[in-house]
Amino acid sequence: MSRSGLFSEDRSAEVVVDSFGEGTDPRLREILGSLVTHLHAFVKEVQLTDEEWRTGVDFLTATGQRCDDVRQEFILLSDVLGVSMLVETINHRALDDATEQTVLGPFHMVESPDRVLGANIALDGGGEQCLVTGRVTGQDGKPVADATVDVWQANADGFYDVQQPDIQPHRNLRGLFRTDADGRFWFRTIVPRFYPIPDDGPVGTLLERTGRHPNRPAHMHFIVAAEGYQPVTTHLFVDDSPYIDSDVVFGVKESLVRQFVAVDDPDRAKELRFDNPFRAVHFDVTLSQDGDRTVASA
Amino acid sequence: MSRSGLFSEDRSAEVVVDSFGEGTDPRLREILGSLVTHLHAFVKEVQLTDEEWRTGVDFLTATGQRCDDVRQEFILLSDVLGVSMLVETINHRALDDATEQTVLGPFHMVESPDRVLGANIALDGGGEQCLVTGRVTGQDGKPVADATVDVWQANADGFYDVQQPDIQPHRNLRGLFRTDADGRFWFRTIVPRFYPIPDDGPVGTLLERTGRHPNRPAHMHFIVAAEGYQPVTTHLFVDDSPYIDSDVVFGVKESLVRQFVAVDDPDRAKELRFDNPFRAVHFDVTLSQDGDRTVASA
């Protein structure tokens, strides 16, 4: 007797892909076809043993079971394997000199409060005082007035307000600003601190087993948006932060790193109601006009 | 400023692999290196969108959360993607004419009871009566006496005893036999029935979305073992079973399919205490001598 389509080591991935029915959505077929092909190639390449397969099953199971309303261990896994950053990069390639994107991260979970230009978003009193200035322009160099600049960051201890609802003031270190007629924005805050991603689950174990630390270098989150332009979700990284060269989620892009310079200027400090010296950073944002941005086809 | 090792689309997988510390176990490094490389290649090949990535995260999370003491949804996922069968095949390649292996499956969870040759393992009275005969030999053709032949199967409704503890008799359709001096074994049972794998979870949804049925063709499980030989974990498949060409877990191998012939012989039926006509199947098992079998290096 002879049966076509039975499983064999040589044709293993092909046989699985051939099992998909004719009515399968073409995009789903494309995605699963590629996934199965790479998965089988991986198993063959490393000659995965029964025991290693079982370890993999157990790891994935534990990862799923670590997820709850406030913890998404599979996103963490995707993050530390560089997959989140790769998907981000593929889907939001910056054109020419437009500001590069990076990962959104899990802490943009509440709306930032409206604040006037110059406001101090550091409500808890800790950390090194810092003035942030910048300008939003289009790729043609023209200022973008009335752009929204949404900012959020960790405090001097490396925690976001939502992680410490009983310790930090409500909406600490968050603000939604609007650029002035010349496209400029400025506000007062503190220099953010590096922090570890949650590492008490399976992903933490994976990091430990591969000799990796769980830290993200210090950064400030930005979403900048304006009518007629593509919004940009990005970070401003602190040049001299620990881990700037080894972000556990691979989010650092060279173009997003800035020096937070020390300013020794008693008069300016007084104006800002800062202690002297203080720190200052400048971050210009360039937006692509609508329709200009390369995105992956859906 | 210039930082080596920062993430880029081109070097994405390389950057992740380079993050593994020097103390990483070499085999773990090899496995994760290959996995990350294929995972990134997959994302790039299909240009995975943000939304598709999120769908994948949600699917994996739901799969992990569907697992409990009696349900392993990630093993089911591995099964329906052909990964379990591939791992099985790689690790247990049969030499020459030795009997091929196939998946163990999840129902060998209790010890089969010792039974004498000829015993009837069908204790619940349903189904088509069937005589199973066979002989265990080495690759040199010599009979293997005192080999253990461990058998388990589903009943005429497609359920194993452990799935219906309140309905089926204890240890129904399970038996542990020993071959006679001539390597022969025989026992009475019923023709097994095809059955669906559990399809009320994420894996069932995946099957539905890809136009696949959830069924395994009718089969009888065997583990045959003897001193001085490699044990073999395999199935005997029923030639005319529905789904014989489309096993949802890809377990069918041509060499393991047998006709269950109808026998019209009133005298023989009477001897066997069967109704006439009955069914009969012959399944010879060839074992490799210890050390002869090709296995993947650990």
Side-chain angles (χ1 to χ4, degrees):
Chain A
M1 86 204 91
S2 166
R3 289 166 214 287
S4 63
L6 289 189
F7 188 90
S8 69
E9 187 174 338
D10 286 350
R11 298 184 61 249
S12 68
E14 204 180 327
V15 167
V16 176
V17 172
D18 285 350
S19 76
F20 301 153
E22 283 179 21
T24 305
D25 172 80
R27 177 62 178 162
L28 182 63
R29 177 188 291 271
E30 181 185 7
I31 291 174
L32 288 176
S34 174
L35 183 67
V36 165
T37 302
H38 280 291
L39 202 51
H40 283 229
F42 154 68
V43 169
K44 290 176 187 181
E45 195 169 290
V46 303
Q47 295 281 303
L48 199 70
T49 69
D50 295 329
E51 194 187 335
E52 289 162 349
W53 170 84
R54 182 75 216 192
T55 301
V57 166
D58 290 345
F59 179 83
L60 291 171
T61 304
T63 301
Q65 300 197 333
R66 195 69 179 74
C67 297
D68 58 32
D69 289 348
V70 293
R71 173 86 170 249
Q72 226 307 347
E73 195 79 0
F74 266 115
I75 291 186
L76 286 182
L77 180 60
S78 169
D79 291 350
V80 305
L81 295 181
V83 172
S84 306
M85 192 59 190
L86 179 59
V87 170
E88 170 61 43
T89 302
I90 282 176
N91 286 279
H92 306 280
R93 294 190 189 95
L95 274 185
D96 301 326
D97 292 330
T99 298
E100 291 193 283
Q101 300 234 149
T102 189
V103 288
L104 174 65
F107 296 116
H108 191 247
M109 41 172 47
V110 293
E111 270 186 43
S112 300
D114 286 315
R115 305 227 191 251
V116 296
L117 289 171
N120 193 341
I121 62 173
L123 311 176
D124 63 351
E128 281 184 277
Q129 294 167 320
C130 178
L131 174 67
V132 180
T133 56
R135 195 180 186 207
V136 181
T137 58
Q139 286 179 293
D140 53 9
K142 287 185 189 159
V144 181
D146 209 36
T148 55
V149 178
D150 188 352
V151 180
W152 67 106
Q153 68 170 72
N155 71 1
D157 295 325
F159 293 102
Y160 291 83
D161 60 345
V162 290
Q163 294 176 289
Q164 298 187 314
D166 299 334
I167 297 174
Q168 294 189 36
H170 188 66
R171 302 288 190 262
N172 188 34
L173 292 162
R174 295 181 190 264
L176 184 67
F177 299 94
R178 288 190 170 268
T179 54
D180 69 10
D182 198 30
R184 295 186 188 279
F185 64 89
W186 63 97
F187 57 91
R188 289 171 295 157
T189 183
I190 55 157
V191 179
R193 185 177 173 276
F194 68 87
Y195 59 83
I197 62 168
D199 64 347
D200 58 347
V203 170
T205 304
L206 178 68
L207 291 174
E208 199 188 330
R209 294 280 303 277
T210 52
R212 294 173 58 186
H213 66 76
N215 296 290
R216 299 213 61 204
H219 59 275
M220 211 173 275
H221 294 265
F222 282 80
I223 297 177
V224 179
E227 216 178 307
Y229 295 88
Q230 293 287 338
V232 62
T233 299
T234 194
H235 293 6
L236 163 60
F237 288 95
V238 181
D239 172 77
D240 60 357
S241 170
Y243 312 113
I244 190 73
D245 291 328
S246 60
D247 184 354
V248 71
V249 309
F250 306 100
V252 178
K253 288 181 176 172
E254 190 71 45
S255 68
L256 304 176
V257 181
R258 293 286 181 285
Q259 275 191 290
F260 283 57
V261 295
V263 178
D264 184 357
D265 181 340
D267 292 340
R268 184 71 175 128
K270 198 172 177 187
E271 257 178 47
L272 292 167
R273 278 178 252 165
F274 274 177
D275 296 328
N276 190 60
F278 58 94
R279 306 268 295 263
V281 63
H282 191 78
F283 185 49
D284 286 336
V285 174
T286 308
L287 298 180
S288 298
Q289 271 164 286
D290 259 345
D292 279 2
R293 192 170 286 263
T294 304
V295 291
S297 56
Chain B
M1 82 206 89
S2 166
R3 288 166 214 288
S4 64
L6 288 190
F7 189 90
S8 69
E9 188 174 337
D10 286 349
R11 298 184 62 249
S12 68
E14 203 180 327
V15 168
V16 176
V17 172
D18 284 350
S19 76
F20 301 152
E22 283 178 24
T24 305
D25 173 79
R27 177 62 177 163
L28 182 63
R29 177 188 292 270
E30 182 185 6
I31 291 174
L32 288 176
S34 175
L35 183 66
V36 165
T37 302
H38 281 290
L39 202 52
H40 283 228
F42 153 68
V43 169
K44 291 176 187 183
E45 196 169 290
V46 303
Q47 295 282 300
L48 199 70
T49 68
D50 295 328
E51 195 187 333
E52 290 162 349
W53 170 83
R54 183 74 214 194
T55 301
V57 165
D58 289 346
F59 179 84
L60 292 170
T61 304
T63 300
Q65 299 197 332
R66 195 67 179 75
C67 297
D68 57 32
D69 288 348
V70 293
R71 174 86 171 249
Q72 226 307 346
E73 195 80 0
F74 266 116
I75 290 187
L76 287 182
L77 180 60
S78 169
D79 291 349
V80 306
L81 295 182
V83 173
S84 306
M85 193 59 191
L86 179 59
V87 171
E88 170 61 43
T89 302
I90 283 177
N91 286 280
H92 307 281
R93 294 190 189 95
L95 274 184
D96 300 327
D97 292 330
T99 298
E100 291 193 283
Q101 301 235 150
T102 189
V103 287
L104 174 65
F107 296 116
H108 191 247
M109 42 172 48
V110 292
E111 270 187 42
S112 300
D114 285 315
R115 306 229 190 249
V116 296
L117 288 170
N120 193 341
I121 63 173
L123 311 177
D124 63 352
E128 281 185 277
Q129 294 167 322
C130 179
L131 174 67
V132 179
T133 57
R135 195 178 186 207
V136 180
T137 58
Q139 286 178 292
D140 53 8
K142 287 186 188 155
V144 181
D146 210 36
T148 56
V149 179
D150 189 352
V151 180
W152 68 107
Q153 68 171 73
N155 72 1
D157 296 325
F159 294 102
Y160 291 83
D161 59 344
V162 291
Q163 293 176 288
Q164 298 187 314
D166 299 332
I167 297 174
Q168 295 190 37
H170 188 68
R171 301 289 190 263
N172 189 34
L173 293 162
R174 294 179 189 265
L176 184 66
F177 300 94
R178 287 188 171 269
T179 55
D180 70 10
D182 199 30
R184 295 188 188 278
F185 64 90
W186 64 97
F187 58 90
R188 290 171 295 157
T189 184
I190 55 158
V191 180
R193 185 178 173 277
F194 68 89
Y195 59 83
I197 62 168
D199 64 346
D200 57 348
V203 171
T205 305
L206 179 68
L207 292 174
E208 199 188 329
R209 294 280 304 277
T210 51
R212 294 173 60 186
H213 66 76
N215 296 291
R216 298 213 61 204
H219 59 274
M220 211 172 276
H221 293 265
F222 281 81
I223 297 175
V224 180
E227 217 179 306
Y229 295 87
Q230 293 287 338
V232 63
T233 299
T234 194
H235 294 5
L236 164 60
F237 288 95
V238 181
D239 172 78
D240 60 356
S241 169
Y243 312 114
I244 190 73
D245 290 329
S246 59
D247 184 355
V248 70
V249 310
F250 306 99
V252 178
K253 288 181 176 173
E254 191 69 46
S255 69
L256 303 175
V257 182
R258 293 287 182 285
Q259 275 192 291
F260 283 57
V261 295
V263 179
D264 184 357
D265 181 340
D267 294 341
R268 184 71 174 125
K270 198 172 178 186
E271 257 177 49
L272 293 167
R273 277 178 252 166
F274 274 177
D275 296 327
N276 191 60
F278 59 93
R279 306 267 297 261
V281 64
H282 190 79
F283 185 49
D284 287 336
V285 174
T286 308
L287 298 180
S288 299
Q289 271 165 286
D290 260 344
D292 278 1
R293 193 171 284 263
T294 304
V295 291
S297 56

